[in-house]
């Protein structure tokens, strides 16, 4: 039933300059209704929190985004027309978790009903096992900052690739977590919409 | 007494690719003891949260980093050998706030005593006036995420510019806020060290 999507290799050789991506970064709530290609998904997800150095024995992989005590607690779920998926960074693939289109739940604003795809940033607090992150408050505090790290990578990749994007905090988190069947330890922090820009590049 | 430092124009034309910056991003706790040049400071701070579109009447400026309801509540303080400064984004200058070297308080780990410069990310909760951010929890939640946005820009600029950097949560916040003379509404979220890399580029 649930299909995994093996993503093509990310195009790490793209030469769009960092400084120009910073200058172009914007929150944009308008997009075409065309789906992203698998190559675009691959690039976007690798930019978000992809592996930059593979794990070696007990040494964890390195990622494009830092995390508190290298907990790597932010999981990126992807909502597409074909269903909901979890981005598996180590295999660079999308693991199917739900064969149902729940994109309209990415946010509560009306325009979100037309979102061509959505990212759901979920903090898995059970991954935060460092003694420095013992309290619930320390865990949440760090997970929120870490979500900003991942989300900014998405903003910059979109700015470099003529994609519209906006991060959302107005979310019906209970509805969305129920639909997605999240574990108790998994907390929805933010969501982010991505679509092809209406403006020609 | 307190000196303002007018920064040179940021070098927005630098062509280091975004994808390579993402691939090179790392937390590094080793650095040379040489100070950053004013040009490096200029580039770094503009990348962090600089103005990309000037304000127009009542319309706020746009920044390289997003913020909840465009509150622009994250203030970047800069600790240098010559003192402590507040980055004024609109004028692209450093406003002197303290003529004393307090860099050793950037973090509590021993190696931080040799930090050539430090950034202190302070959330000014009084700037969060949107009705969507009414509760103290909503303010903090958003400010922590927004700190991640700014800090990731710094990580990527450093990755593109042969600078070592690491964000820090192990901070004596009470000590640091007292030394800096912060207002009650200003909360220290994170700090970040930046220095010249020991590795040749």
């Amino acid at each position: 039933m649930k299909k995994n999507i093996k993503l093509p290799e990310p195009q790490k050789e793209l030469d769009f300059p960092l400084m120009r991506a910073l200058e172009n970064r914007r929150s944009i709530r308008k997009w075409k209704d065309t789906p992203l290609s698998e190559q675009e998904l691959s690039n976007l997800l690798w930019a978000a929190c992809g592996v930059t150095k593979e794990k070696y024995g007990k040494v964890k992989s390195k990622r494009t985004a830092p995390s508190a005590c290298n907990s790597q607690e932010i999981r990126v779920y992807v909502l597409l027309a074909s269903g909901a998926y979890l981005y598996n960074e180590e295999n660079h693939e999308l693991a199917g978790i739900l064969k149902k289109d729940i994109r309209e739940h990415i946010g509560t604003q009306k325009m979100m009903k037309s979102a061509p795809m959505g990212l759901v940033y979920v903090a898995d607090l059970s991954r935060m096992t460092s003694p420095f992150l013992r309290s619930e408050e320390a865990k949440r505090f760090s997970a929120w900052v870490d979500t900003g790290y991942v989300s900014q990578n998405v903003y910059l990749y979109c700015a470099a690739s003529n994609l519209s994007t906006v991060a959302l905090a107005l979310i019906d988190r209970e509805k969305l977590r129920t639909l997605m069947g999240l574990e108790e330890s998994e907390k929805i922090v933010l969501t982010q919409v991505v679509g092809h820009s209406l403006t020609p590049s």
Side-chain angles (χ1 to χ4, degrees), chain A:
Chain A
M1 272 288 279
K2 293 171 194 166
K3 210 180 95 190
N4 286 7
I5 303 175
K6 180 74 192 161
L7 296 167
E9 283 296 303
Q11 295 171 303
K12 299 182 195 172
E13 69 282 4
L14 292 177
D15 63 358
F16 196 96
L18 168 67
M19 294 300 257
R20 196 128 59 87
L22 287 163
E23 178 143 43
N24 292 356
R25 191 215 60 81
R26 282 284 181 289
S27 291
I28 300 173
R29 289 178 174 76
K30 287 176 181 176
W31 40 74
K32 293 185 190 167
D33 63 0
T34 49
L36 268 66
S37 69
E38 288 195 1
Q39 186 64 62
E40 286 174 313
L41 279 175
S42 165
N43 296 352
L44 180 80
L45 291 166
W46 178 81
C49 56
V51 171
T52 54
K53 199 173 169 185
E54 308 227 335
K55 69 177 171 188
Y56 180 73
K58 283 185 181 173
V59 180
K60 278 188 187 172
S61 62
K62 306 273 188 189
R63 305 292 182 82
T64 58
S67 59
C69 307
N70 201 19
S71 304
Q72 305 183 353
E73 81 281 10
I74 306 300
R75 319 301 314 270
V76 179
Y77 287 84
V78 184
L79 310 188
L80 302 174
S82 58
Y85 303 83
L86 171 62
Y87 176 47
N88 178 321
E89 302 91 347
E90 307 290 349
N91 297 339
H92 195 57
E93 68 179 16
L94 292 174
I97 62 155
L98 184 73
K99 220 176 166 179
K100 193 179 162 187
D101 183 359
I102 58 169
R103 290 175 296 166
E104 64 176 307
H105 299 287
I106 193 74
T108 56
Q109 289 171 294
K110 253 186 196 163
M111 69 202 75
M112 299 310 156
K113 294 210 184 300
S114 70
M117 75 160 287
L119 303 172
V120 183
Y121 300 123
V122 172
D124 183 350
L125 302 188
S126 74
R127 288 188 166 203
M128 305 182 90
T129 53
S130 161
F132 292 116
L133 302 170
R134 210 167 280 153
S135 75
E136 183 78 6
E137 201 196 350
K139 285 188 175 68
R140 286 179 182 262
F141 167 98
S142 302
W144 294 336
V145 174
D146 292 347
T147 300
Y149 285 127
V150 175
S151 175
Q152 182 68 354
N153 283 349
V154 170
Y155 265 110
L156 293 176
Y157 177 74
C158 288
S161 307
N162 206 34
L163 297 168
S164 293
T165 193
V166 61
L168 307 172
L170 296 176
I171 312 157
D172 184 341
R173 289 180 173 76
E174 273 316 304
K175 176 86 185 171
L176 191 51
R177 67 173 299 120
T178 305
L179 283 167
M180 292 170 66
L182 296 183
E183 302 286 331
E184 184 54 35
S185 67
E186 292 184 300
K187 309 295 178 189
I188 296 174
V189 185
L190 285 184
T191 62
Q192 189 158 0
V193 178
V194 179
H196 291 128
S197 170
L198 289 175
T199 322
S201 63

